[in-house]
Amino acid sequence: MEAKKEAEENEEMKKTEKKPKKGESKKEEKSEKILKIPRDIVVPGEVIVSGEDYLPSDGTMRESMNIIATRFGLVEFIGRLVKVIPLSGVYIPRRGNTVIGKVIDITYNGLRLDIGAPYEAFLPMKECFFPHGRELEEYFNIGDMITVKIFSIRRGDINLTMRDRGLNKLEGGMTITVNPNKVPRVIGKEGSMVNMIKQETGCLIVVGQNGIIWIRGENIDAELLAKEAILLITSKSHIEGLTDLVQDFLEKAKKGKEKLIK
Amino acid sequence: MTYEKRYDGRDFDETRKVEIKMGVIPRANGSAMFSFGNTKAIAAVYGPRLMHPQHLQNPEKAVLRCSYDMLSFSVTERKKPGPSRRSSEISHVIMNALTPVLQLENFPNAVIDLEIEIIQADASTRCAGINAAALALAHAGIPMTDLISAVSVGNIGNKICIDITKEEEDYEEDGEKLATDIPVAFAPRKNRLTLLQLDGKVKPEVLKKVIEAGNKACMKINEAQKKALRDLKMETELPEEEEK
């Protein structure tokens, strides 16, 4: 039993030794550059900071003096907040997120959608947007994809709305599903990445926060090219200079196609 | 005569070779393979997702639905496939070993499906299963306060052995079975015991030693688990250095 206590103490010692160093290194990284620096990876149960200077945020919790990680991911500091950015896992809905959902049921007062979250989402008829003089079940069909905004979340009850700019039923095109944690990389800084793909391929692209991406182009080749570019981003999401890499990929693909035509 | 040297030449406090692979099942939300020498377990986590049938939902928190099974080719004599009394008991035990660290109250009415399959068995399968499951849960992004590690401790002919094999499990002297298998699982950060099983006979004072020995071994396994999770990100980072 004594040995156990000792081991416990030793462990704690190790952690206290580690902590200040970790905090410092992160601050340094932050001051250098905010984005694109590979941040420290944590596993559940690891101490991120000790002391009461910081506050726990998503993916962390406070336990007496320490803030420990509760999820597997990358550490991030936002002011005094400590956060863990998850690297994997299902989509956790947030209020205000724009997502793409699939109609799974039509009820008398609205639609039920699957948005890839742990719970089904409900889109009330009042919040639906469809042409005047048409019935709900006439305009929407089971299996349709709709861009929606998350209006409210209450304990597993997700309510959606379509009353915002750019929210509508998606007609034609194709949808692909990617890891929802990699959506920020697909969008890029202020939409740079997705805008580039749009320009290069001439496709319309809608990226849902839940990892469902809708692509519609002039022809199937353009759509497939855009799809490949997006899959390239998700498979190499940790690389620096990803935008250049994707640009190269798209240009090469275009040249290749031109050659084929000639 | 006592058991003085282990059949495979290991030290008494040494585990078999630990091998971990993450993300072995691409369609699952999280998956891992964990092996102790010849014992290989794969775990897959699906969810959190909506619980069906609805009457099993818990409005307070998510339900961890655990299923452990050995594949028919995992043992020397073909195991009849399908659930058995043994597998459902172990499923339940694994569920109880893992729930103390999971923050299930974040997902009321949901279910987290955990599937553990033993693809090769050479004793201590439930421990390998728990280790794989802990990694798969972390990989699936389930909020949890700690990473559970488990190991089987044996009392073989009055010697405490870590991570026993099938051969040791069947150890006997003069036709009398003298092996006791005690699987233990720990939540390492606070040193909390989450699993303790025993089949066979053991003296109370020996049991204390067994738990201590198990604790030490679990700490080592936990380090290996943490390393595997960290390397998971390194893998995706590797091409970056190549390009530079």
Side-chain angles (χ1 to χ4, degrees):
Chain A
M1 285 297 128
E2 268 179 34
K4 214 193 275 178
K5 269 183 197 164
E6 264 178 41
E8 215 178 323
E9 273 169 21
N10 280 338
E11 272 246 322
E12 273 179 23
M13 287 281 281
K14 266 185 222 161
K15 277 169 193 164
T16 42
E17 276 167 24
K18 245 186 188 174
K19 275 163 251 153
K21 266 190 232 159
K22 266 193 174 176
E24 270 168 34
S25 66
K26 243 144 263 156
K27 270 182 192 169
E28 277 163 26
E29 277 171 16
K30 223 190 150 193
S31 59
E32 275 173 17
K33 237 192 214 174
I34 299 167
L35 272 172
K36 285 182 185 171
I37 286 174
R39 286 146 288 187
D40 274 12
I41 193 155
V42 283
V43 299
E46 263 189 319
V47 180
I48 303 173
V49 253
S50 143
E52 287 170 352
D53 289 346
Y54 288 93
L55 294 167
S57 179
D58 291 353
T60 58
M61 68 171 206
R62 174 168 286 285
E63 201 184 64
S64 65
M65 287 294 282
N66 299 331
I67 293 177
I68 61 166
T70 57
R71 286 191 74 171
F72 162 62
L74 306 172
V75 178
E76 196 180 62
F77 289 81
I78 306 166
R80 284 175 65 209
L81 285 179
V82 183
K83 195 178 157 189
V84 172
I85 306 165
L87 289 171
S88 54
V90 297
Y91 168 65
I92 307 294
R94 291 283 139 114
R95 212 181 82 199
N97 276 177
T98 303
V99 296
I100 297 177
K102 189 183 193 177
V103 181
I104 49 170
D105 195 11
I106 302 170
T107 63
Y108 68 95
N109 60 347
L111 307 171
R112 285 203 298 138
L113 304 192
D114 177 13
I115 57 164
Y119 308 101
E120 279 171 9
F122 186 69
L123 176 64
M125 197 181 340
K126 207 174 79 184
E127 301 288 340
C128 281
F129 178 77
F130 58 98
H132 255 294
R134 291 183 75 177
E135 293 289 321
L136 180 78
E137 53 267 42
E138 215 180 294
Y139 187 64
F140 293 108
N141 232 327
I142 288 175
D144 280 354
M145 305 302 272
I146 315 176
T147 48
V148 284
K149 199 167 191 176
I150 295 174
F151 183 66
S152 72
I153 304 166
R154 236 176 288 122
R155 276 185 78 82
D157 244 358
I158 306 169
N159 280 301
L160 306 170
T161 179
M162 278 178 82
R163 288 178 181 274
D164 207 342
R165 207 158 52 102
L167 301 182
N168 55 350
K169 189 174 115 175
L170 298 169
E171 305 205 45
M174 60 156 99
T175 51
I176 57 170
T177 311
V178 300
N179 183 347
N181 302 292
K182 287 179 176 167
V183 164
R185 299 307 305 259
V186 175
I187 293 172
K189 207 177 178 185
E190 284 160 13
S192 58
M193 189 73 87
V194 75
N195 282 340
M196 189 185 73
I197 300 173
K198 276 183 194 170
Q199 256 178 22
E200 296 285 329
T201 61
C203 290
L204 280 172
I205 301 175
V206 178
V207 184
Q209 290 292 321
N210 56 349
I212 300 177
I213 299 169
W214 176 79
I215 309 164
R216 193 178 74 190
E218 285 160 5
N219 48 48
I220 195 96
D221 288 337
E223 282 177 12
L224 287 173
L225 183 61
K227 179 187 168 184
E228 257 175 71
I230 289 165
L231 293 181
L232 179 78
I233 297 166
T234 51
S235 66
K236 297 188 171 175
S237 59
H238 291 282
I239 295 173
E240 273 187 54
L242 189 60
T243 321
D244 298 337
L245 191 83
V246 177
Q247 188 130 36
D248 280 357
F249 166 80
L250 287 168
E251 272 166 17
K252 266 182 205 164
K254 268 188 165 178
K255 271 177 199 166
K257 217 197 284 171
E258 275 165 24
K259 268 179 199 166
L260 277 177
I261 294 163
K262 276 169 193 172
Chain B
M1 207 193 93
T2 50
Y3 187 58
E4 275 172 359
K5 197 161 184 279
R6 294 184 80 167
Y7 290 125
D8 48 9
R10 274 184 289 153
D11 288 341
F12 284 98
D13 61 349
E14 195 184 347
T15 63
R16 281 171 283 177
K17 195 182 169 223
V18 170
E19 206 184 313
I20 302 171
K21 269 187 201 163
M22 297 297 300
V24 285
I25 300 164
R27 294 286 289 176
N29 291 114
S31 60
M33 189 206 82
F34 189 97
S35 64
F36 279 129
N38 286 334
T39 301
K40 282 191 170 69
I42 50 175
V45 173
Y46 298 88
R49 59 186 179 186
L50 208 62
M51 170 67 121
H52 279 293
Q54 246 177 358
H55 71 268
L56 293 176
Q57 283 182 357
N58 184 345
E60 299 275 303
K61 56 182 184 175
V63 175
L64 179 69
R65 196 157 49 181
C66 226
S67 127
Y68 160 100
D69 207 357
M70 296 213 296
L71 294 178
S72 47
F73 52 79
S74 63
V75 271
T76 32
E77 199 158 320
R78 183 185 137 88
K79 180 202 169 278
K80 202 178 152 217
S84 62
R85 191 196 154 88
R86 187 185 110 88
S87 74
S88 51
E89 181 199 307
I90 294 176
S91 304
H92 199 80
V93 155
I94 291 176
M95 190 192 78
N96 286 343
L98 293 168
T99 31
V101 297
L102 295 176
Q103 295 182 324
L104 295 174
E105 60 283 356
N106 292 347
F107 304 104
N109 291 329
V111 62
I112 297 164
D113 278 307
L114 170 62
E115 314 280 341
I116 299 166
E117 299 285 355
I118 308 300
I119 49 176
Q120 197 169 290
D122 186 11
S124 44
T125 55
R126 75 195 68 186
C127 297
I130 289 172
N131 290 335
L135 289 165
L137 285 165
H139 187 209
I142 312 289
M144 51 195 209
T145 57
D146 215 343
L147 201 63
I148 299 270
S149 307
V151 76
S152 66
V153 189
N155 187 26
I156 317 288
N158 289 325
K159 275 276 189 184
I160 293 170
C161 308
I162 290 290
D163 186 23
I164 57 170
T165 60
K166 185 82 192 123
E167 210 180 359
E168 287 173 322
E169 215 173 58
D170 299 333
Y171 176 80
E172 46 185 52
E173 274 174 29
D174 312 323
E176 194 192 351
K177 282 200 172 171
L178 281 174
T180 310
D181 176 18
I182 306 160
V184 291
F186 277 92
R189 192 163 48 84
K190 284 187 166 177
N191 254 341
R192 296 262 163 87
L193 193 63
T194 63
L195 165 77
L196 180 65
Q197 277 189 303
L198 180 119
D199 53 347
K201 284 179 282 185
V202 74
K203 286 176 186 158
E205 55 271 25
V206 179
L207 187 62
K208 274 185 185 170
K209 281 182 195 164
V210 163
I211 292 170
E212 259 170 52
N215 187 16
K216 268 185 196 165
C218 278
M219 291 302 170
K220 279 181 201 162
I221 291 162
N222 195 253
E223 287 306 313
Q225 282 174 301
K226 282 180 180 170
K227 191 177 170 290
L229 271 175
R230 288 202 190 97
D231 289 352
L232 182 67
K233 198 218 157 193
M234 299 301 277
E235 270 171 36
T236 47
E237 265 186 336
L238 268 181
E240 179 189 356
E241 280 157 33
E242 279 169 21
E243 267 174 50
K244 276 178 188 172

